[in-house]
Amino acid sequence: MRYKELSEVYERLASTSKRLEKIKILSDFLIKIKDGEEDIIYLLTGEIFPDYEEKKMGINSQLVIKSLSKSLGVDKEKIVEEWKKIGDLGEVAEKLIQKKKQITLQFSVLTSEKVLKNLRKLPELEGEGTINKKLSLIIELFNSISGLEAKYLTRTLIGDLRIGIQESTIREALSLAFFNGNKEASEKIQNSINKLNDLKEIFLICKQKDLKRLDEVKLIPGKPIKVMLAQKVKTIEEGFKEVGIPCAIEYKYDGIRIVIHKKNNKVFLFTRRLENVTKQFPEVVEYILNYVKGENFILDSEVVGFDEKTKTYKPFQNISQRVKRKYEIEKLRKELPVEVNIFDILFYNDKDLINMKFEERTKLIRKIVQEIPFKIRCSKQIITSNINEAKKFYEEALKNNQEGIMLKNLKAIYNPGSRVGHMLKMKPEQRDFDLVITGGEYGTGKRSGWISSFIVSCSDEGEYLEVGKVGTGIKEKSEEGFSFEELTEKIKPLIIKEEGKKVFIKPEIVVSITYQEIQKSPTYSSGFALRFPRFVSIREDKPLSEITGLEEIEEEFKNQKN
Ligand code: ATP
């Protein structure tokens, strides 16, 4: 398919904010995709591979500017100047290329397949001359395109497509294209997405226009899945009412959620962001190979840090750095040891277990895991109908440095990717939200050169709405903890636009923020502001789709008034 055709679809999607219109445009496009062209689905969402694929293009705005400059023979400074004026590098590329085309009248046809081919080479490049090789792959594309195509190629390269498409839009478009928008089909498509995380695969199944095919989608050990999430309760009484009694109550461990896969004697570890962290946790791989019976399986777990000397558990912040660190792993393993707590099982010896009742799944775990304290355990659990017993268990969990408890309905199935009412979390009242950094401001004086305050946002139907500005909790020097310098380095490649000292940042970095109070405020786009917000940690493990929503903030605001 011509890249121009895809670019026109992007443009149509960007030009309407109405969700139903977007679904219709997408659905019309999906029907037109021919056999063998299906990889275009990835480009449609601004990606080049399925969600779970680790390979990244590794292109930032600076590299795109360099490519444009070389391709068009325009000074880099001029492009940056235009960028500052217009605010969107995509539009700058469009304008510059349109101008050039008027002079040269050069025409050639670029296909989406060629775009994908070049972009997919980018992650493979390493070592000497990488930058130049990347540049020539991008320049080759820029050399043969129109303004509109350049706009969307640029946006794809910097990871900011701006067409307002979410996973749910694609789901509804697939349902409309192949099942007349049937509600049951939408649900089944979503379930399949949660299990496979590969839109092209799902597209191929939907194309058969047979709902049964969607039912047959099974988990595949080795391929990451979206985890099941919990709703919140404030009291045990409320929890009992929600999940029914007797119910299972477990420690809510304060660690990192890791889904463990085993297949062909190999172990794979994934975060809830679908990132493969197998290399970062070699000891977990050993424990699984040595202490869990079974040919192949998928387990859900929380990996928790502990102090080697005192044998007490440590909070999440202490081990969060293990998720990202790719070097000195053995050193970190000694400094920040972890224990795996298995709390669910989704697949065992070639069988998908997500429709099995929780009481049976939890029994199976206890059969196959050999528990070795401070290496691997089954999550600590009681099954009870007794409020006092439950309260005692809750107190004990807190005394053991855990976050609280989880209450689970014994008859419930496992719903990948959903926040369900049959698994609940209860922890002491704590005023914190997980928000995404969307902006910032360069500091002055000794903080000049660093971004020293950060605009944080919550989510609202695919949009990000600001709820405040945070500067406290971040350290001056790296030795003292997470510093302005480190955060600035992390953020620089994500800058979309600069305006004086202000920067606009592509939503990607999720942070935990505590606050004292929520106030109504016209200053921020959410209509709320956090009083005394404070940075606690970066949530490397948490995907954007799971940050605090506007609804939750509204609810906390109401509760606070009461
Ligand atoms: P929070 O910030 O409260 O941890 P969250 O948004 O990170 O919430 P939730 O799904 O809302 O995640 O809360 C449940 C989390 O608790 C799970 O994601 C998991 O990481 C963790 N957890 C700890 N112990 C258990 C357990 N026994 N069963 C299920 N989840 C557990």
Side-chain angles (χ1 to χ4, degrees), residues 227-232 249-258 272 300-302 304 341-344 358 379-380 402-406 408 419 423-425 427 432 434 512 539 541-542 546:
V227 295
M228 176 165 82
L229 299 169
Q231 289 180 11
K232 220 191 273 179
I249 306 184
E250 297 178 357
Y251 275 12
K252 182 180 194 312
Y253 297 96
D254 187 12
I256 303 171
R257 180 102 178 239
I258 300 282
R272 55 202 263 195
D300 202 351
S301 79
E302 189 86 355
V304 196
N341 290 275
I342 313 284
F343 58 75
D344 218 324
F358 177 69
S379 58
K380 186 145 176 150
Q402 297 308 341
E403 269 197 307
I405 52 171
M406 306 293 297
K408 302 182 179 181
R419 199 172 279 282
M423 175 166 96
L424 306 170
K425 55 179 174 180
K427 56 184 183 180
D432 65 347
D434 290 330
S512 249
R539 292 289 309 253
D541 60 321
K542 206 165 193 175
E546 289 164 22

Side-chain angles (χ1 to χ4, degrees), residues 213-229:
R213 294 278 101 79
L214 285 166
D215 288 329
E216 287 162 9
V217 172
K218 293 232 170 341
L219 299 180
I220 305 172
K223 268 199 179 186
I225 43 162
K226 294 209 181 90
V227 295
M228 176 165 82
L229 299 169

Side-chain angles (χ1 to χ4, degrees), residues 233-244:
V233 278
K234 293 218 156 58
T235 62
I236 288 174
E237 286 82 352
E238 195 187 329
F240 271 11
K241 221 166 108 190
E242 280 285 318
V243 293

